[in-house]
Amino acid sequence: MNFIYFNDTGRMVSIHPATFSHGCTGSREPIQHLEERLFELPEGTFPWVKMWDYGEAGLGILVSPMREGE
């Protein structure tokens, strides 16, 4: 499954390292304003997404693959 995140926040969004240790693949570079980012998730999963606001340091996002019923 693919998940595309579009950054319309007006701020840079960093990607939490657990995104990749949880099984997603994609670029680890921060997502710039008005940039799309493709996350590839393992087959049979859907994305669970959490965002943090670090104030002046920008935003952070975690994309974690979930299976039905988890």
Side-chain angles (χ1 to χ4, degrees):
M1 158 159 247
N2 290 333
F3 170 69
I4 297 173
Y5 173 77
F6 177 68
N7 181 6
D8 64 349
T9 65
R11 299 162 70 190
M12 186 177 66
V13 177
S14 62
I15 303 169
H16 194 287
T19 294
F20 305 104
S21 65
H22 288 178
C24 290
T25 59
S27 174
R28 297 171 187 261
E29 296 298 314
I31 308 167
Q32 303 300 318
H33 177 60
L34 300 179
E35 181 182 0
E36 287 185 350
R37 179 64 50 86
L38 173 68
F39 295 93
E40 296 179 46
L41 287 75
E43 191 66 36
T45 64
F46 63 93
W48 180 90
V49 180
K50 169 75 176 165
M51 182 172 273
W52 290 271
D53 186 343
Y54 296 117
E56 297 284 323
L59 300 167
I61 190 173
L62 167 67
V63 180
S64 187
M66 300 292 288
R67 296 197 183 277
E68 192 72 34
E70 287 186 334

